[in-house]
Amino acid sequence: MRFVITLLAALLAVVPSAHAGPSTRWENIGPNGAGGYMAFARNLVYVLPGAGQQVFRSADRGRTWRQGRLFPEMRGNALAADPARPDTVLVAGAEGGGGAGSVLRSVDGGLSFSVALRTPSEVQDVAFGGGFSYAAAAEGVYRGIGGQGWSVLPGSPASAEDVHVVGPDLLVAAGGVVHVLRAGKWSVSDVPADKITSLGDVVVARKFSGGVHLSSDRGVSWRAVSGPWKSTWILYSGITANGWVQVQTLDGHFISADMGATWKRTDAVAKVDVYTEIGSFPDLPDWQWVYGSGGVYATADHEHFKRVGVPGAHVLSLAVSGRSLIAGTMQGSYRTDLPVAAQEWDFDGTAPHAIGNRIGALAARDGIVLRGRNGYRGSQDTIFVERSLDGGRTWVITAEMPGNTRSLVFDPVLPSRVYLGAYLINAFYVSLDGGASFVPRVHAGLRGIKTIAADPGGIWLADAGGLYRSVDAGVTLKQVLPGRMNSVLVDPRDPRHVVAVGQNSVFVSFDGVGFVEVSGVSSEQLSTIAIGPDGVLYLGSISFEGSSKGVLRSVNGGRSWTVFGGPDVERGVEALLVSPDGRTLYAGTVSGSVHRRSLG
């Protein structure tokens, strides 16, 4: 029988040393690897990552960020902060399934939210102004006070996309054109619009395929805006707090300081790609924050940019090499010097010519760092293996092969041998030259490898089809456990101590042969496992519907587990790493960057 459950009493008596004095507090240490929709109120800025489920807040101009709790009710696509009560924040979005929408309200600065309004359709936008709060949806424009007491404004237009308060008036982009509520009466123009911005009485309306129009009298009269661009596709337009009109098309990004009379082309497209939104602190109108494809950046001229993106990256992998801590994310890899002092890390934005550049795996040994980059080239998923000799600052592609990867590991005996896990194909890869080239190991039983662990006697493969063992570098495989396995770990102090992680259970062996199941460890999906120098185990979990335990901990070799998480990591953990000195635990989280916790 392949599934062997044996555990010798003498081996069960081998218990790792007790762990002393861990901290109870997690700290978000970055990297600032995400952008999002922005809202400014006095000295505060809030950011909602695109289609995100939590809000980030900074009270120090973006030097540090506080991560709000997950709101599983919906996915947000707009937010607003009350200028009179900066701790009051609204998020608009769509609930899962059925096309319904919600407005969520926070009164604690974005830390937690509750449902303030439910609507039959997705809520496209929210805004504050004139003592009221507004929400745009298919059934019209809702109005409330401070985000409460909502009702549909009589006569408001259907299919509302954007709502904007301009002085005493309300301007709405709905049905592809501009609607205005002035002195209690609605009027509609033929000005194309799906987005509206304003400064004083000046209003800029844009539509992706309808051009840019400008009004100097709060929407009473309009004129079309023309410039040195030829494309009719308007990717972004608006007016900034210092009075610059901006237009971005397929031809580039242009700014005008004289209401469209003259234009200057900038380098913004090359630097941050497509703009989505611009905002400013009330006391710094010349210093604009841009939400673009590359994240959130600050700029004074749209030629020079400083990244101020929030620590909302989805971290897939972690590694330490010398003084470098490296995080692999959905966009690329980031690195910082240890000990981490700031949430802004170095970012390597370079990538091979492929679609999708997720750093699914990292491995470090003897000053060499390897990373597995998952991309899509031509008609197939492709793994790019890249090498760094300077702690993750620069990378060189060494090999590429079909598949995707979440696991890279050096052999503990032969450092020139490297194992690369793969999924989407029934194979994995072995390198005999330190990662310069790889040969496939094809096995019909493999369904997708999540983790490979190596010990002096061979390798363990945690695969979607079970736990496998090979003692000949993968030439032959033997299934040890059936069922989906998400991770596997070998105790570096005793290779007979092996811990395999299933969906909700943990399997433990103390002789490298027989395993016992610790069932019901988590109702969420278990993801990854790490071990400290003292033998204490840490286990990550992920929830796809709400909050998870985040991290669990075992001080007895995996026989039992206790929650070691907290609200900062409740969305889920994809990667875990204990520092070489055993004093710090790093958790790579789902859309929350890296969190650090002292282990005493």
Side-chain angles (χ1 to χ4, degrees), residues 438-500:
F438 288 82
V439 295
R441 298 283 196 252
V442 180
H443 296 276
L446 295 177
R447 295 173 53 195
I449 296 171
K450 188 68 176 290
T451 307
I452 298 178
D455 60 50
I459 56 175
W460 298 88
L461 280 66
D463 182 79
L467 179 68
Y468 290 86
R469 174 68 167 167
S470 175
V471 295
D472 54 11
V475 176
T476 61
L477 292 180
K478 177 184 178 181
Q479 190 185 56
V480 179
L481 296 172
R484 182 180 179 88
M485 297 292 158
N486 293 326
S487 191
V488 61
L489 176 143
V490 177
D491 189 336
R493 307 171 311 157
D494 181 0
R496 298 170 301 171
H497 180 204
V498 183
V499 184

Side-chain angles (χ1 to χ4, degrees), residues 304-395:
H304 305 87
F305 296 86
K306 176 184 178 183
R307 178 185 286 272
V308 290
V310 299
H314 190 134
V315 178
L316 302 171
S317 51
L318 291 168
V320 169
S321 178
R323 292 192 59 219
S324 292
L325 175 63
I326 307 165
T329 76
M330 301 292 282
Q331 295 82 32
S333 69
Y334 297 78
R335 66 152 301 278
T336 188
D337 289 333
L338 293 170
V340 182
Q343 290 179 336
E344 187 63 52
W345 298 18
D346 298 333
F347 175 59
D348 174 22
T350 60
H353 297 293
I355 299 173
N357 290 291
R358 305 176 308 279
I359 307 301
L362 288 163
R365 176 168 178 169
D366 301 331
I368 299 173
V369 186
L370 298 178
R371 70 180 180 186
R373 183 191 290 272
N374 298 320
Y376 191 80
R377 171 176 283 178
S379 60
Q380 68 178 10
D381 290 271
T382 303
I383 303 167
F384 299 89
V385 178
E386 298 165 301
R387 181 175 60 204
S388 175
L389 302 179
D390 55 10
R393 292 174 176 83
T394 59
W395 300 87

Side-chain angles (χ1 to χ4, degrees), residues 276-307:
T276 299
E277 193 170 78
I278 288 180
S280 299
F281 289 101
D283 61 338
L284 291 174
D286 292 330
W287 194 254
Q288 291 136 27
W289 283 30
V290 177
Y291 169 30
S293 302
V296 174
Y297 294 84
T299 181
D301 58 6
H302 301 271
E303 302 273 27
H304 305 87
F305 296 86
K306 176 184 178 183
R307 178 185 286 272

Side-chain angles (χ1 to χ4, degrees), residues 166-541:
V166 185
D169 305 330
L170 183 68
L171 275 69
V172 180
V177 294
V178 175
H179 299 251
V180 181
L181 177 62
R182 181 176 292 117
K185 295 182 179 180
W186 284 99
S187 62
V188 59
S189 70
D190 58 358
V191 174
D194 52 28
K195 186 70 176 179
I196 298 168
T197 62
S198 69
L199 177 66
D201 290 341
V202 177
V203 184
V204 176
R206 78 101 197 267
K207 187 173 176 58
F208 176 74
S209 57
V212 181
H213 289 75
L214 187 147
S215 170
S216 298
D217 50 17
R218 304 198 312 274
V220 175
S221 60
W222 297 85
R223 63 179 174 87
V225 175
S226 61
W229 54 87
K230 296 180 180 180
S231 174
T232 59
W233 287 0
I234 307 300
L235 305 179
Y236 172 83
S237 76
I239 186 167
T240 58
N242 65 349
W244 290 356
V245 178
Q246 307 204 16
V247 176
Q248 190 176 65
T249 75
L250 293 178
D251 300 323
H253 178 267
F254 305 86
I255 58 176
S256 172
D258 50 15
M259 301 296 289
T262 59
W263 294 89
K264 174 186 176 183
R265 179 191 293 269
T266 77
D267 290 334
V269 174
K271 297 293 180 60
V272 299
D273 203 6
V274 179
Y275 281 25
T276 299
E277 193 170 78
I278 288 180
S280 299
F281 289 101
D283 61 338
L284 291 174
D286 292 330
W287 194 254
Q288 291 136 27
W289 283 30
V290 177
Y291 169 30
S293 302
V296 174
Y297 294 84
T299 181
D301 58 6
H302 301 271
E303 302 273 27
H304 305 87
F305 296 86
K306 176 184 178 183
R307 178 185 286 272
V308 290
V310 299
H314 190 134
V315 178
L316 302 171
S317 51
L318 291 168
V320 169
S321 178
R323 292 192 59 219
S324 292
L325 175 63
I326 307 165
T329 76
M330 301 292 282
Q331 295 82 32
S333 69
Y334 297 78
R335 66 152 301 278
T336 188
D337 289 333
L338 293 170
V340 182
Q343 290 179 336
E344 187 63 52
W345 298 18
D346 298 333
F347 175 59
D348 174 22
T350 60
H353 297 293
I355 299 173
N357 290 291
R358 305 176 308 279
I359 307 301
L362 288 163
R365 176 168 178 169
D366 301 331
I368 299 173
V369 186
L370 298 178
R371 70 180 180 186
R373 183 191 290 272
N374 298 320
Y376 191 80
R377 171 176 283 178
S379 60
Q380 68 178 10
D381 290 271
T382 303
I383 303 167
F384 299 89
V385 178
E386 298 165 301
R387 181 175 60 204
S388 175
L389 302 179
D390 55 10
R393 292 174 176 83
T394 59
W395 300 87
V396 175
I397 298 175
T398 61
E400 60 181 89
M401 65 282 292
N404 273 251
T405 185
R406 288 299 305 274
S407 182
L408 257 172
V409 61
F410 285 96
D411 188 282
V413 177
L414 300 172
S416 61
R417 182 180 291 172
V418 180
Y419 304 99
L420 175 69
Y423 56 95
L424 303 180
I425 59 174
N426 59 341
F428 68 101
Y429 299 92
V430 179
S431 173
L432 302 178
D433 53 16
S437 62
F438 288 82
V439 295
R441 298 283 196 252
V442 180
H443 296 276
L446 295 177
R447 295 173 53 195
I449 296 171
K450 188 68 176 290
T451 307
I452 298 178
D455 60 50
I459 56 175
W460 298 88
L461 280 66
D463 182 79
L467 179 68
Y468 290 86
R469 174 68 167 167
S470 175
V471 295
D472 54 11
V475 176
T476 61
L477 292 180
K478 177 184 178 181
Q479 190 185 56
V480 179
L481 296 172
R484 182 180 179 88
M485 297 292 158
N486 293 326
S487 191
V488 61
L489 176 143
V490 177
D491 189 336
R493 307 171 311 157
D494 181 0
R496 298 170 301 171
H497 180 204
V498 183
V499 184
V501 178
Q503 285 288 86
N504 311 107
S505 302
V506 172
F507 303 84
V508 184
S509 176
F510 287 92
D511 61 3
V513 178
F515 287 78
V516 66
E517 180 180 5
V518 183
S519 61
V521 172
S522 173
S523 60
E524 299 87 23
Q525 176 179 298
L526 298 173
S527 54
T528 185
I529 190 167
I531 190 170
D534 56 1
V536 175
L537 296 166
Y538 302 92
L539 181 62
S541 66

Side-chain angles (χ1 to χ4, degrees), residues 99-116:
S102 293
V103 173
L104 303 183
R105 179 174 180 262
S106 171
V107 293
D108 58 9
L111 184 62
S112 62
F113 286 84
S114 60
V115 178

